Amino acid sequence: MNARQLEIFRAIMRDGSVTAAANSLAVSQPAVSKVLHHFESQLGYQLFERISGRLVPTMEAHLLYDDADRVFREIEALKNLARTIAERKVGLLRIGASAPVTYSLLAGALLKFRAEHPQVKVHLHTLPKADVEEQLLIGEIDFALTLSTIQAPTVRSEILAPVPMMAVMRHDDPLADKTEITPHDLADRPLISYGSTTADIGPELDNVFEQSGVKRDVSIQLSSSLGAIPLVSGGLGVALVDGLVKWGNFEGLVARPFSPTVLMDISISTNSARPVTRFFRPFLKSIKDLLNDEETAQVQP
């Protein structure tokens, strides 16, 4: 039994004759008859009897038809799905992102992406950078969005935009009156920030403080800038974290630029050892468009 035999059997049952079935399938009548006879021979019983010049289904044919019809409806649905996938309408996008990127950029980028690809399903993994890197290497995600590049032999990263460090404090903090915050301003304050071993940014911050003659003494160490929200709100200190998060959206908090300027980089990374999803480029365009929109909005008067 094969799909072609079931298709012809179903057409005869539906159309009532070999001739009508041949017409609906756009094949010759002898071809339909040949397949039907071969099918009956394989089954070991007749599916149709000719009575008074009409082709009448046997009881066995009626028993077989319901399932044959269901199978072909499922095959047609599968064909439609395959065509839709080929037209880039349906698919799956698996994103790994650090928390600051998720809570600041991802929604806007996905809105742009889904405007063009509304049927693409998205699996979002919001994880610490180390876990995002692991997921990328083992193939659990298609690409990674982080605040620093992922360093691994097969990983290819593209820097999307620089992100300056910001000092985040309560609105009633004396430092809120300043237009920028320096290492000297933070010298005698409990500091909430990244640890010295945090890749890229930790050593760079230590160096900037040292050049200013101040020791960077981190009172509470963070792995993600979002952890600073309840800590600063609770009066536990001033946070020195990335400026990607829109800190002004959190009631009672203000953010001031840190001077000298220290930058982190929004990066998008793929694993060259694995196939790149065909939706990567459309998403990359969406997030670049979003960043360009935000940059334009910032420079407008």
Side-chain angles (χ1 to χ4, degrees):
M1 182 186 301
N2 57 47
R4 185 59 172 168
Q5 290 170 336
L6 284 177
E7 182 182 29
I8 285 176
F9 163 66
R10 175 175 177 259
I12 297 171
M13 289 287 290
R14 181 191 61 211
D15 299 334
S17 72
V18 170
T19 301
N23 289 335
S24 67
L25 296 174
V27 296
S28 68
Q29 181 177 334
V32 171
S33 296
K34 182 178 178 181
V35 172
L36 175 61
H37 291 151
H38 184 58
F39 188 28
E40 289 178 324
S41 176
Q42 283 185 325
L43 293 173
Y45 51 82
Q46 280 188 291
L47 295 171
F48 300 93
E49 292 183 6
R50 188 165 294 278
I51 301 175
S52 301
R54 294 179 57 250
L55 206 61
V56 179
T58 63
M59 182 59 67
E60 290 81 2
H62 284 291
L63 291 172
L64 194 62
Y65 176 70
D66 286 343
D67 281 344
D69 186 59
R70 174 184 56 80
V71 167
F72 264 87
R73 289 181 186 276
E74 292 173 354
I75 289 174
E76 286 302 314
L78 184 59
K79 287 180 179 178
N80 289 335
L81 176 60
R83 283 193 293 268
T84 303
I85 291 173
E87 294 167 358
R88 295 178 175 245
K89 293 181 180 178
V90 170
L92 174 65
L93 195 63
R94 303 172 303 163
I95 305 172
S98 56
V101 178
T102 298
Y103 284 89
S104 57
L105 293 177
L106 207 52
L110 284 173
L111 275 174
K112 288 180 175 291
F113 173 79
R114 289 178 68 83
E116 299 293 330
H117 305 277
Q119 297 185 60
V120 173
K121 295 182 182 297
V122 176
H123 290 183
L124 173 61
H125 303 254
T126 301
L127 300 165
K129 181 191 172 186
D131 293 334
V132 171
E133 178 178 345
E134 180 183 357
Q135 295 282 294
L136 183 63
L137 292 174
I138 65 176
E140 290 295 317
I141 57 175
D142 297 313
F143 58 86
L145 286 164
T146 55
L147 266 175
S148 59
T149 57
I150 294 175
Q151 304 296 324
T154 61
V155 172
R156 301 292 177 264
S157 297
E158 178 180 347
I159 294 174
L160 300 176
V163 178
M165 297 294 293
M166 303 287 285
V168 181
M169 64 211 72
R170 287 166 52 129
H171 70 94
D172 55 357
D173 192 293
L175 292 180
D177 294 331
K178 291 181 169 287
T179 56
E180 63 180 25
I181 306 299
T182 68
H184 287 284
D185 294 323
L186 300 174
D188 298 321
R189 301 292 304 273
L191 184 62
I192 302 165
S193 189
Y194 310 108
S196 296
T197 58
T198 301
D200 301 331
I201 193 62
E204 187 173 355
L205 286 173
D206 287 344
N207 184 55
V208 166
F209 272 70
E210 185 178 342
Q211 290 179 353
S212 299
V214 178
K215 177 178 173 56
R216 192 175 77 101
D217 186 11
V218 178
S219 175
I220 301 178
Q221 182 173 315
L222 299 172
S223 60
S224 170
S225 58
L226 288 171
I229 297 169
L231 302 177
V232 175
S233 298
L236 290 167
V238 177
L240 184 57
V241 288
D242 68 80
L244 183 61
V245 175
K246 293 177 174 57
W247 296 106
N249 291 343
F250 298 98
E251 185 176 357
L253 297 184
V254 296
R256 298 290 180 261
F258 179 71
S259 180
T261 300
V262 178
L263 299 174
M264 300 180 76
D265 295 314
I266 308 170
S267 298
I268 189 165
S269 303
T270 56
N271 186 355
S272 62
R274 298 182 180 276
V276 178
T277 172
R278 60 199 174 121
F279 295 107
F280 172 70
R281 290 295 170 191
F283 179 85
L284 179 60
K285 180 181 184 302
S286 296
I287 196 166
K288 284 183 175 180
D289 288 347
L290 176 69
L291 290 168
N292 288 335
D293 291 347
E294 292 189 351
E295 183 178 355
T296 300
Q298 289 173 1
V299 299
Q300 287 178 345

